[in-house]
Amino acid sequence: MKRKTENQMLVIFGASGDLTARKLVPALYSLYAEDQLPEHFVVLGTSRSDMTDADFRNQVVLESDYLKEKLKNSDEAKTKKFAEMFFYQDLGESYGVDYASLRERVGQLNDEKRTQGNIMYYLSTPPRLYETIAKNLAEAGLSTQNNGWKRLIVEKPFGYSLETAKALNQGLQEHFKESQIYRIDHYLGKETVQNLLVTRFANSIFEPLWNRNYIKHVEITNAESVGVEKRGGYYDKSGALRDMFQNHLLQIVSLIVMEPPIGDEPEEIRDEKVKALKSLRIMRDEKTLHDNTIRAQYIASDIQGKIVKGYREEEDVDAESTTETFAAIKFFVDNWRWKDVPFYVRTAKRMPTKVTEVVIHFKSPHHQIFKESGIQNKDNKLIIRIQPDEGILIKFGVKVPGQGFKVERANLDFYYSSLMEAHVMEAYERLLLDAMQGDATLYARADEVEAAWEFVDPILDYWQNGKDVRMYGYPSGTWGPRNSDELIEGEGYWRNPGENLTDDENYCVLC
């Protein structure tokens, strides 16, 4: 259903940066082309760069490499009308100066463009500036909701640890109410992540099976084929656990683990996600952490005839770095639904392909009557592919035609690409539109962020300070260190998928 989007202004801090041109403006253009923007809508970019309105429009719209493909199908008048929504205000050399000039420009545009005092602030800046910007907006009277609503969107990372996340939340909440703060996680904007809720709660064939009685274990893989590229300076202070696991992957975990909400209201869904994260069994003793966590770094390798650098040889990376580019965690959930069901989550760079997927492994039938069929150890699986080749795959047994009962695996699949009539929104399109409409369902709440850090902090502390902590190596272009398969209980390995959803290399490629 198409919801009403009120007239409003979007103020982007850090508007001269890469995120604005690469993600935000293309997302806004798609919303514009789909007639999803309100009648009166303005974008005011602000940063420390010296630009005019015309300069800003040229940079992010008219001459943008990121919009070339989209603008091919747009006539000149339509493109011009879109560009005319964009304005720019120079904030000088620091985001910590007086915001009087910004307040004046906001007021002027609000009156001229009839945006009704509704403003969404998007902080596309380093996290260290979040509190400074929020404080200055409040002191300039730009956070009050007496004459229209005000919302604040902040990008990840939400803190560097539990302590810093709490400090950041408290700092923002001094100047904005929690209901005004939207913590964006672009993974939640992906259609297949949202479909986890529908798959579970709208289908009676799944929900009765979604528990420890029928599920053997749950596996989540996030693999990237690239290395750290030009982000070595940032990544070496972060690592795979902070960069991907604490936010993106634990968000996916919460959607798998959560109990049915009362309804589909944002706070009802977010309440259940918080409960899910709080039910994760926190690992505190060194033996548990040693047995259930693995970290590693990619090392130099020959990939298809090309020598690829190891992590410690990358630009801006410490030559003796102990920052992980591979993290694999086994953990449990302490509630009735998931008691004793292991969860296996891994994330890494420089793997054979780029892929993110969830695999639900179901238990074998208690009584096997087709023992000679070769079907043992080939349990039913539900695979939810988040990217690429987005879709859902069910693996089940069927009889091979002919005499006897020879059983083979068959695939039942669905691809989002088959929905030719439907426009599948990209992540930032969906999330921006939701924030414009005041729907916080797909945004993280303060207690949600802190619950995720509660689980991750002891792992990070152990990796930093524990005894007998090892850093493994894995050749670039492989599926990680060979001992990562030892996390999986019983006879089995990680599912090592290909680019296509139905590719199933379910074996240990390094053993």
Side-chain angles (χ1 to χ4, degrees), residues 8-134:
Q8 59 191 272
M9 183 186 310
L10 171 62
V11 179
I12 304 175
F13 288 82
S16 60
D18 181 62
L19 180 67
T20 300
R22 183 167 51 90
K23 293 292 186 181
L24 301 185
V25 175
L28 289 171
Y29 181 79
S30 294
L31 294 174
Y32 168 70
E34 291 287 323
D35 196 28
Q36 295 275 15
L37 294 180
E39 180 182 0
H40 300 286
F41 180 72
V42 171
V43 179
L44 176 60
T46 183
S47 72
R48 293 173 289 195
S49 301
D50 182 14
M51 285 192 287
T52 64
D53 292 344
D55 293 335
F56 185 53
R57 290 169 185 169
N58 285 333
Q59 177 178 308
V60 300
V61 180
L62 301 176
E63 298 175 5
S64 170
D65 291 335
Y66 301 107
L67 268 184
K68 279 183 180 177
E69 285 300 314
K70 292 180 183 287
L71 294 180
K72 279 183 180 178
N73 301 319
S74 175
D75 60 54
E76 187 176 340
K78 189 174 182 179
T79 300
K80 183 180 178 184
K81 184 178 178 183
F82 178 68
E84 287 174 350
M85 296 179 182
F86 288 76
F87 299 85
Y88 185 80
Q89 180 67 35
D90 183 6
L91 263 187
E93 294 184 2
S94 171
Y95 285 102
V97 298
D98 179 39
Y99 279 35
S101 60
L102 178 63
R103 181 181 60 209
E104 183 179 343
R105 190 72 190 280
V106 166
Q108 173 201 341
L109 288 172
N110 179 60
D111 293 339
E112 290 179 3
K113 305 299 180 181
R114 292 182 287 170
T115 55
Q116 299 178 309
N118 299 322
I119 307 175
M120 187 161 67
Y121 302 106
Y122 198 113
L123 306 193
S124 179
T125 65
R128 58 184 170 78
L129 296 173
Y130 291 170
E131 291 180 64
T132 299
I133 294 171

Side-chain angles (χ1 to χ4, degrees), residues 118-166:
N118 299 322
I119 307 175
M120 187 161 67
Y121 302 106
Y122 198 113
L123 306 193
S124 179
T125 65
R128 58 184 170 78
L129 296 173
Y130 291 170
E131 291 180 64
T132 299
I133 294 171
K135 177 175 180 290
N136 279 293
L137 287 172
E139 290 180 350
L142 290 169
S143 65
T144 60
Q145 304 193 85
N146 300 329
N147 59 337
W149 51 255
K150 308 295 184 294
R151 296 171 189 147
L152 186 76
I153 299 181
V154 293
E155 280 273 353
K156 78 170 189 77
F158 313 122
Y160 188 75
S161 62
L162 176 60
E163 181 183 359
T164 56
K166 284 183 174 179

Side-chain angles (χ1 to χ4, degrees), residues 187 222 224 239-249 347:
Y187 254 62
N222 166 254
E224 295 183 48
L241 208 64
R242 287 188 177 95
D243 189 47
M244 290 298 301
F245 182 85
Q246 183 275 332
N247 39 73
H248 302 325
L249 298 183
T347 178

Side-chain angles (χ1 to χ4, degrees), residues 246-260:
Q246 183 275 332
N247 39 73
H248 302 325
L249 298 183
L250 282 185
Q251 286 288 336
I252 294 172
V253 168
S254 71
L255 295 176
I256 296 170
V257 169
M258 66 183 278
E259 293 298 314

Side-chain angles (χ1 to χ4, degrees), residues 6 13 36 58 70 113 173 178 187 244 267 276 288 295 313 318 340 342 359 362 372 387 390 404 428 467 475 480:
E6 297 176 287
F13 288 82
Q36 295 275 15
N58 285 333
K70 292 180 183 287
K113 305 299 180 181
Q173 289 165 353
E178 176 60 28
Y187 254 62
M244 290 298 301
E267 292 311 309
T288 302
R295 64 175 183 168
E313 299 161 352
D318 188 334
D340 297 329
V359 187
F362 291 95
E372 306 303 320
Q387 66 175 6
E390 293 87 346
Y428 275 94
K467 299 174 183 176

